[in-house]
Amino acid sequence: MKIETRILGRTGLEVTLLGLGGGGNSRLGLSSGQPIGHAADVVRAALDLGLTMIDTARVYGTEPAVGRALRGRRRDGVVVSSKTPYLDADRNLLTPQAVEANIETSLRELGLETIDIYFIHGLRLPYYRDCRERFLPVLERARQAGKIRFIGVTEAFETDTCHEMLQQAVQDDDWDVVMVGFNLINPSARERVLAFTRQRGIGTLGMFAVRRALIDDTWLRILLQRLAAEGTVDPDLPDAPDLMESLGLRGVSETLSEAAYRFCAYEPGMDCVLSGTSNADHLRQNLAAVQRGPLPAYTLERLEQLFGRVDSVSGQVRV
């Protein structure tokens, strides 16, 4: 089945509704000790499946794997993004020269002459203005030199669950693409970020579609207990006998994670949802999930009733 594509905001880049993320818990398998060759095979599998959005970053350690997978392939239609950190090991802002060096390293590791999108990675609100002033000129010079095509910023959603930084960034006209955390437990980006990116033509990549609480209901119940204690969800929800039924998902989706991907992939204003994985079979399952199409309207209404006030969690649950 042909994969649906979207236009990534004002960039004009065409991307598949599901993309491959090189970070997350798995980092293409590197987190569990798999070799770089295995990670490259996951990227090749994504390309063979027809995915056209491949995301990586300096801090993930997966740029060499992406570069190896791209080697010898035609890049027609494949969009590659990477990212620079903004703090050094001592938690000080990087110098402009360090960001320039990161761009050069990313180009070398990826084996590319041009990176389609280059992000400032995981930016927090207290650093936003200083980073904007310090690093945008660096990124603009790299764009003028043909080393990158478009400029973006990603949020630190696990700690910035209410999108403080991106709420500021989307008011500026500097960013071609943003990466935003969004999932069925915390849909707060709908009004706080996506409403503005849609108006301004900013491309959006979605992350955190699935984290531990959206893999099985044991972890989800743990998170729901926290939300119930906060008063943001029904206090009876964590102990519901059939959680899939209570969420409006019984008979709609085979698994919780399938519903989570479908919820995100068809959200208005979401151009592409990233799937992080360590193996090709899992990636195929995630693609099959989103290709089942959007969740029905009554399920979306039910999820909005349940989680519309939530903005304090990312979906991750620490063991």
Side-chain angles (χ1 to χ4, degrees), residues 155 157-158 161 163 180-190 194 206-214 220 223 227 256-257 259-265 267 270 273 295 303-304 307-308 310-316:
E155 67 179 357
F157 183 54
E158 193 162 347
T161 57
H163 317 286
V180 57
F182 179 80
N183 57 46
L184 65 81
I185 301 175
N186 180 353
S188 59
R190 178 179 292 132
L194 299 180
M207 59 179 172
F208 280 73
V210 171
R211 282 298 187 269
R212 184 171 281 124
L214 289 164
L220 179 55
L223 200 61
L227 294 174
L256 184 60
S257 60
Y261 273 113
R262 292 168 65 191
F263 178 87
C264 296
E267 174 68 23
M270 189 66 72
V273 173
L295 297 172
L303 293 171
E304 174 62 21
F307 301 118
V310 174
D311 68 358
S312 61
V313 297
S314 67
Q316 187 63 286

Side-chain angles (χ1 to χ4, degrees), residues 117-256:
I117 310 162
Y118 207 72
F119 292 99
I120 298 176
H121 193 178
L123 187 54
R124 298 291 307 277
L125 181 61
Y127 298 95
Y128 175 76
R129 284 296 169 198
D130 286 342
C131 285
R132 179 175 175 268
E133 293 176 8
R134 180 177 292 205
F135 301 139
L136 269 178
V138 177
L139 297 174
E140 287 290 354
R141 286 195 297 272
R143 191 203 316 246
Q144 293 298 318
K147 296 176 181 179
I148 64 177
R149 296 178 66 190
F150 299 103
I151 295 169
V153 63
T154 83
E155 67 179 357
F157 183 54
E158 193 162 347
T159 53
D160 184 8
T161 57
C162 55
H163 317 286
E164 289 182 337
M165 186 280 296
L166 280 183
Q167 287 186 76
Q168 177 63 60
V170 296
Q171 301 301 322
D172 297 324
D173 196 34
D174 302 312
W175 315 104
D176 301 308
V177 185
V178 299
M179 189 177 295
V180 57
F182 179 80
N183 57 46
L184 65 81
I185 301 175
N186 180 353
S188 59
R190 178 179 292 132
E191 299 300 329
R192 300 178 188 181
V193 178
L194 299 180
F196 296 94
T197 59
R198 294 174 72 187
Q199 291 174 3
R200 297 167 185 257
I202 300 171
T204 54
L205 299 179
M207 59 179 172
F208 280 73
V210 171
R211 282 298 187 269
R212 184 171 281 124
L214 289 164
I215 295 173
D216 66 68
D217 65 6
T218 299
W219 293 107
L220 179 55
R221 288 179 192 275
I222 292 171
L223 200 61
L224 291 176
Q225 288 169 357
R226 170 183 162 184
L227 294 174
E230 293 176 356
T232 52
V233 302
D234 185 332
D236 295 329
L237 187 59
D239 298 317
D242 185 338
L243 201 49
M244 289 289 281
E245 178 70 27
S246 296
L247 298 180
L249 298 174
R250 182 65 64 198
V252 169
S253 176
E254 293 184 5
T255 65
L256 184 60

